[in-house]
Amino acid sequence: MVALVPAEKYGDERGALLNFIEAQRAAVVRASFGLTEEQAASRPSASELSLSGLIKHVAEAELNWLRMAQRQPNELRRDESNWHESFQLVGDETVASTVAFMADVAKQTEDFVRSVPSLDEEFPLPDKPWFPKDGRVSVRWMLLHLIQETGRHAGHADIIRESLDGKGSFELIALESELERELEREPESKAQA
């Protein structure tokens, strides 16, 4: 079973980039498929990373880049005092609520990307020590960066999941596909009953 990114219309660069980001987001989320909240929050290696924390971090990082591109303040304020909370679920957060948050951010990203006149449109980077002074990047660069970073975290998620129960991405894709087919058949079997 292969995880192929769906084809877009010829020449649809925006669609292609958005599809590649979505494929990487899905890989991060898929790594938590079938796990309990406790399993998703566990850290089975020397790393501080957990699956639920990775899902949250990916969503928050994407939101941060989106707000920079939109030139709007990020409603999630992170600084040294709460940076660690971007990698762990807190309060009443669950895997499901964090996945829903990620889906909302993804929708906002898609809406924004489809609304800009050109992917060449630039926005300024904040005045932070890790960014070049007076740095600017394009919306295209942002999308490529999100693909790169989300892909890195998808790899982290794969390793964490394999450390938990040995399940790799291809097995999880197959399990997810099987569940989707069962859900599609469910209305048919109810109608026949």
Side-chain angles (χ1 to χ4, degrees), residues 56-70:
K56 182 177 180 180
H57 173 70
V58 165
E60 285 195 11
E62 183 172 333
L63 180 64
N64 193 53
W65 278 101
L66 176 61
R67 293 298 183 253
M68 282 192 283
Q70 293 171 322

Side-chain angles (χ1 to χ4, degrees), residues 13-22 119 140 143-144 147:
E13 182 183 14
R14 292 171 203 243
L17 293 169
L18 289 166
N19 283 345
F20 271 91
I21 293 170
E22 181 54 34
L119 294 179
R140 177 182 293 104
L143 291 169
L144 292 167
I147 293 166

Side-chain angles (χ1 to χ4, degrees), residues 65 140-151:
W65 278 101
R140 177 182 293 104
W141 184 95
M142 177 192 76
L143 291 169
L144 292 167
H145 178 71
L146 289 172
I147 293 166
Q148 175 191 33
E149 284 299 304
T150 307

Side-chain angles (χ1 to χ4, degrees), residues 59-186:
E60 285 195 11
E62 183 172 333
L63 180 64
N64 193 53
W65 278 101
L66 176 61
R67 293 298 183 253
M68 282 192 283
Q70 293 171 322
R71 299 175 189 187
Q72 296 177 8
N74 188 341
E75 58 272 30
L76 296 177
R77 308 246 189 257
R78 294 283 179 218
D79 59 29
E80 288 181 31
S81 70
N82 64 2
W83 176 250
H84 65 283
E85 291 181 1
S86 69
F87 285 94
Q88 64 189 37
L89 303 190
V90 295
D92 60 354
E93 293 175 330
T94 63
V95 172
S97 69
T98 305
V99 169
F101 168 62
M102 178 188 275
D104 179 61
V105 171
K107 174 75 169 104
Q108 290 181 55
T109 298
E110 180 172 356
D111 291 347
F112 173 75
V113 167
R114 293 201 183 278
S115 74
V116 293
S118 168
L119 294 179
D120 294 327
E121 196 164 295
E122 292 185 342
F123 58 92
L125 295 173
D127 184 21
K128 300 286 184 189
W130 49 87
F131 289 128
K133 184 167 177 47
D134 300 321
R136 298 181 68 79
V137 296
S138 68
V139 173
R140 177 182 293 104
W141 184 95
M142 177 192 76
L143 291 169
L144 292 167
H145 178 71
L146 289 172
I147 293 166
Q148 175 191 33
E149 284 299 304
T150 307
R152 285 182 66 237
H153 291 313
H156 295 143
D158 285 344
I159 290 168
I160 294 169
R161 179 59 187 256
E162 287 181 28
S163 297
L164 286 170
D165 65 4
K167 286 189 172 73
S169 61
F170 290 131
E171 184 178 357
L172 292 170
I173 290 169
L175 290 170
E176 186 178 54
S177 296
E178 183 180 315
L179 178 63
E180 287 171 2
R181 284 191 300 275
E182 285 176 22
L183 291 173
E184 288 172 5
R185 286 191 300 262
E186 199 170 279

